[in-house]
Amino acid sequence: MSLLRKKRIFYILMIFITIFVLFSVRILWIQYRSAFKEVTVGGRTMNEMAVRQREEGIELDSGRGHFIDRNGMPLTGDVIWSPVLFPIRKLPEADELQRLAELLHTTSDQLEHKWTTLKKPYVWSELVGKEGTPIKLSQVDAEQWDKVDGFEVLPRVSRYKGAVSGSQWLGYVAQRPDVIRKVQAESKQNRSVPLTMLVGASGLERTFDNFLRGIGSTRAFYTVDGKKRPLIGIGTRVKGMDNRYYPLQVRTTVDYRIQQEIEALTEQANMEEGAIVVLDVNSGDVVSMVSRPFYNPQHIDLKGGSWSNHAVKAAVPGSIFKTVIAAAALEDGLTSPSEVFHCTGHYGKYGLSCWKEGGHGDITLEEGFAKSCNIVFATLGERLKASSIAIMASKLGLAQKIGWNESSFLDGEAFSQIDQEEAGIVFGKTTTADGGVRAQTALGQRDVMMSPLQAANMIVTLLHNGKVISPRLVSEVNFKDGATMVNFPVQTITSPFGQISPRTAKLLLSWMREVVTDGTGISLQGASWNLAGKSGTAEVLKDGKASNNQWFIGYGPIEEPRYAVAVLVQNRRPGSPHQAAALFRRTMNLLASQE
């Protein structure tokens, strides 16, 4: 053999040895370093991900945090015991198959066909009895079913209870590619974040999404070989993240029982569109927030818009805005409670008139508030400066977002609890606030917009002698073991213009009582509590047709106020009965019964 040939063989051999050494080093590095390095946002290592490639299973619990109401009642995380079929190589004997088919309320032939064609685990989600009624299994039922190879009854966590509701403040989760990409960009190991991950898309699910994202799911699985065939004799196993602190639990301020009962009231009243907000007078917290039409958090119709929370959306307020006008005129010294106005039923300009045909005749400001006289307030609107009206609105927490918020929260970024909240408005940016505009504004028309949340909170502000409290939907976030992670203390809002005087606040509250005893809220007499409030009817257009927004806002009981309530019924036919006042009464009676 020539020397040249020997050299060639030697060089080739060295190349192979070098490649082998590099390959071995790489394998060792993966085994001892990379294999134990966390490569997912849930903290999974490469070893764990490799093992999962040899597993086929279903997710029992996503690991996402949950919500509870103010009393600790779960709002999310409904446990459903579900029969699950796993692919197996050999089905049970005929008699065993028949027994199992009877339990599943199907035929053995249908069960056999389903089982033999399985590629992945199958959840027998629709368990229906002979009469067509759904069957819901309990843990006791699940334990009574004999175990069969490839079949188990497992506890699956459903995010929501499945029924439609008016709890749009809670929101829903969805596959949001835009949010996922943001999470990927923020993650050092962004390749591990799945694009199918569910994230908060609206409501508290969205605003508290960073708190709710879990650290890993709980799965039931079986082991497969390289060809994805189930391995015999190993059976199914359940594996999840065992962590003392996660998932987190978010405690809301809502009373779930009251929420459900008020939702039922709106159903009984055939309320089509609007909202009811109940605030705790002492803390300003949201006790209940019902929005119509209802939505189903498991089946969102984006085009239909039922997921939108009407309780925090701005609407034309009508006569409830007269509270702001009365306060501004009194504070500016432009009128007094005993000033006498004359109402003929017509204002004489701007096309304005009073709702009462023939007018109220001679009427004081105090009586004008109770009877909601348009002539009295159009007159005051023209007397007031536009700036005075806007300033008083600010003092009462209007034309701004009022939900609990921080400009710099835990991560230094701005944080707001309440999703979809609108600030509302008093005067449009391009509006010239001449006499006609101010007169219409005084009646709660023209550009004026406010939300039911703001309306209820305005009552709380008056009851606190002018101090504006920022409503909370969440009081705290807790670790899994019950320890507190974050507290959300009661927060106040300070207007740059100061606050309304306690004297004016008390005067307006007393006038609200007269609304019930001698004014437009006389239908509330005889309720379980002695009540006070202010009615309102706003003229709006719906699809080009004249329509009305009906309002009633108030508090009770007057002797020791517990709750402030705002009711908005939107797009009612002009001349139809005042549904808002009726619902206010029924809501207050319900709250009284809880005592």
Side-chain angles (χ1 to χ4, degrees):
M1 185 181 297
S2 68
L3 181 61
L4 181 59
R5 195 172 183 182
K6 288 180 180 181
K7 285 183 177 181
R8 286 178 180 175
I9 294 173
F10 175 76
Y11 291 146
I12 292 172
L13 182 61
M14 291 302 294
I15 290 172
F16 275 113
I17 291 173
T18 302
I19 292 173
F20 178 77
V21 170
L22 291 174
F23 181 76
S24 300
V25 170
R26 173 61 177 168
I27 293 297
L28 288 172
W29 185 85
I30 291 174
Q31 185 66 31
Y32 292 104
R33 293 291 301 277
S34 181
F36 300 102
K37 187 177 181 181
E38 295 180 357
V39 295
T40 72
V41 289
R44 297 189 183 278
T45 65
M46 189 176 289
N47 270 351
E48 291 176 298
M49 297 304 292
V51 170
R52 291 191 68 165
Q53 289 182 355
R54 301 193 298 272
E55 300 171 354
E56 286 289 347
I58 61 167
E59 185 177 83
L60 301 179
D61 185 355
S62 68
R64 186 174 176 84
H66 290 291
F67 294 98
I68 58 175
D69 83 341
R70 68 194 310 170
N71 301 311
M73 183 176 293
L75 300 178
T76 54
D78 194 25
V79 177
I80 301 174
W81 288 85
S82 306
V84 182
L85 297 177
F86 291 89
I88 54 177
R89 294 185 180 183
K90 183 180 179 182
L91 295 184
E93 298 296 332
D95 57 340
E96 187 74 16
L97 193 67
Q98 178 62 36
R99 183 186 65 81
L100 192 58
E102 291 175 358
L103 290 171
L104 295 172
H105 298 275
T106 187
T107 66
S108 56
D109 288 341
Q110 289 175 328
L111 177 58
E112 182 177 0
H113 175 73
K114 170 61 71 175
W115 217 339
T116 54
T117 56
L118 284 184
K119 299 295 183 183
K120 292 183 178 181
Y122 175 77
V123 179
W124 205 279
S125 55
E126 296 183 5
L127 196 58
V128 182
K130 295 180 180 179
E131 300 170 355
T133 56
I135 298 175
K136 187 173 182 179
L137 298 176
S138 66
Q139 184 175 359
V140 175
D141 297 327
E143 291 172 352
Q144 290 176 348
W145 287 34
D146 294 334
K147 284 192 175 183
V148 177
D149 188 29
F151 171 84
E152 288 192 47
V153 180
L154 298 171
R156 297 172 59 242
V157 177
S158 175
R159 185 67 185 169
Y160 308 107
K161 298 181 183 297
V164 295
S165 78
S167 300
Q168 283 87 341
W169 49 267
L170 182 61
Y172 65 95
V173 292
Q175 293 179 9
R176 289 275 306 276
D178 56 330
V179 177
I180 300 302
R181 291 188 187 98
K182 183 179 178 182
V183 175
Q184 288 178 330
E186 294 172 352
S187 173
K188 293 180 181 179
Q189 295 84 28
N190 53 41
R191 292 170 298 176
S192 63
V193 182
L195 283 172
T196 56
M197 186 177 79
L198 294 177
V199 296
S202 78
L204 292 180
E205 291 279 22
R206 190 188 75 82
T207 56
F208 281 82
D209 190 58
N210 287 339
F211 291 96
L212 297 168
R213 291 175 194 163
I215 60 172
S217 61
T218 298
R219 300 172 67 249
F221 66 92
Y222 64 97
T223 307
V224 297
D225 61 17
K227 295 184 178 180
K228 295 294 182 179
R229 295 174 301 188
L231 297 179
I232 299 174
I234 296 180
T236 58
R237 289 180 289 176
V238 175
K239 182 166 61 177
M241 300 296 292
D242 185 16
N243 189 285
R244 175 182 173 184
Y245 302 106
Y246 293 89
L248 299 177
Q249 190 176 69
V250 179
R251 182 180 292 273
T252 69
T253 61
V254 172
D255 188 310
Y256 182 59
R257 182 175 62 175
I258 291 176
Q259 176 77 16
Q260 283 190 307
E261 292 186 0
I262 294 179
E263 287 180 8
L265 286 183
T266 66
E267 286 280 273
Q268 295 162 14
N270 294 317
M271 178 181 177
E272 294 181 2
E273 188 176 358
I276 299 178
V277 175
V278 179
L279 299 183
D280 185 308
V281 161
N282 294 319
S283 63
D285 289 343
V286 176
V287 177
S288 175
M289 185 185 282
V290 176
S291 176
R292 299 283 310 195
F294 288 172
Y295 85 126
N296 187 337
Q298 298 188 115
H299 303 284
I300 297 298
D301 179 9
L302 292 176
K303 292 182 178 179
S306 61
W307 59 274
S308 180
N309 186 0
H310 287 249
V312 297
K313 297 292 186 180
V316 183
S319 293
I320 65 170
F321 193 74
K322 291 173 180 175
T323 308
V324 178
I325 300 302
L330 289 168
E331 295 272 277
D332 282 6
L334 299 179
T335 186
S336 66
S338 59
E339 181 183 356
V340 178
F341 300 79
H342 186 71
C343 171
T344 62
H346 296 280
Y347 191 55
K349 49 185 174 179
Y350 312 129
L352 298 178
S353 61
C354 191
W355 62 269
K356 185 178 181 182
E357 189 174 349
H360 292 95
D362 288 339
I363 186 170
T364 66
L365 172 60
E366 183 174 349
E367 292 170 334
F369 185 88
K371 300 180 186 300
S372 201
C373 177
N374 287 346
I375 305 307
V376 170
F377 284 89
T379 302
L380 292 179
E382 284 208 81
R383 285 185 194 175
L384 285 162
K385 295 179 180 178
S387 59
S388 295
I389 298 174
I391 286 172
M392 182 52 65
S394 174
K395 288 181 178 181
L396 292 173
L398 305 180
Q400 59 188 300
K401 294 182 180 181
I402 58 170
W404 199 101
N405 70 91
E406 281 284 359
S407 58
S408 180
F409 198 51
L410 294 179
D411 55 2
E413 295 184 3
F415 176 79
S416 298
Q417 284 193 2
I418 301 177
D419 188 33
Q420 303 181 38
E421 185 184 6
E422 293 181 352
I425 192 173
V426 176
F427 295 103
K429 292 182 179 179
T430 60
T431 300
T432 301
D434 56 21
V437 168
R438 297 197 306 277
Q440 292 173 338
T441 299
L443 306 184
Q445 297 282 169
R446 190 70 189 200
D447 301 324
V448 188
M449 301 279 279
M450 62 191 292
S451 70
L453 178 64
Q454 289 173 321
N457 202 60
M458 181 170 66
I459 300 295
V460 175
T461 299
L462 295 175
L463 289 167
H464 280 263
N465 292 323
K467 183 171 66 175
V468 182
I469 297 178
S470 187
R472 297 183 300 178
L473 258 177
V474 171
S475 58
E476 61 185 18
V477 177
N478 297 322
F479 289 110
K480 182 180 177 181
D481 63 1
T484 301
M485 178 187 185
V486 181
N487 260 319
F488 297 92
V490 174
Q491 187 183 75
T492 58
I493 300 172
T494 303
S495 168
F497 309 106
Q499 66 180 54
I500 185 175
S501 70
R503 181 186 175 201
T504 301
K506 290 176 181 177
L507 185 61
L508 291 172
L509 291 171
S510 68
W511 289 1
M512 287 182 180
R513 177 57 183 161
E514 291 185 41
V515 169
V516 175
T517 58
D518 300 295
T520 55
I522 200 167
S523 64
L524 300 177
Q525 291 185 13
S528 299
W529 280 337
N530 289 323
L531 304 174
K534 181 72 185 78
S535 63
T537 301
E539 297 176 356
V540 296
L541 289 176
K542 173 73 172 181
D543 299 327
K545 295 182 180 179
S547 187
N548 285 341
N549 284 350
Q550 296 178 348
W551 291 81
F552 203 95
I553 62 175
Y555 66 97
I558 61 168
E559 298 81 6
E560 189 177 348
R562 291 290 310 279
Y563 299 103
V565 174
V567 179
L568 165 63
V569 183
Q570 291 176 280
N571 301 312
R572 292 275 286 172
R573 179 177 50 81
S576 58
H578 206 283
Q579 192 178 44
L583 278 168
F584 179 87
R585 178 189 178 114
R586 296 183 67 183
T587 299
M588 280 299 190
N589 284 347
L590 187 155
L591 294 170
S593 71
Q594 304 297 320
E595 300 298 305

